[in-house]
Amino acid sequence: SNAPPPPDPKTRLQVLLQTSGRGIPVYVTVSATGEGPHHHFVVEVREATGKTLGTGAGQNKREAQIAAAIAAL
């Protein structure tokens, strides 16, 4: 079990898009509401063309970006 850990969803999505000639994914914060522990971010991941591939939400931008990447995959 010395296999490397699978790449995180953001990396997997980037590799998928790049290998299919679709550029790199762009993460756009759609909304950010609340404060402190009640923060809520909504992020869309888009192709270079502007086409939305997935949307994700989380308590911080990183969580929301990962959720969006998972949705896109």
Side-chain angles (χ1 to χ4, degrees), residues 31 39-43 56-65 67:
S31 72
H39 254 137
H40 184 76
F41 288 90
V42 178
V43 170
Q59 288 189 330
N60 56 54
K61 281 186 186 173
R62 185 174 175 274
E63 262 185 29
Q65 287 177 353

Side-chain angles (χ1 to χ4, degrees), residues 49-71:
T49 61
K51 178 185 172 199
T52 300
L53 300 173
T55 305
Q59 288 189 330
N60 56 54
K61 281 186 186 173
R62 185 174 175 274
E63 262 185 29
Q65 287 177 353
I66 290 170
I70 290 169

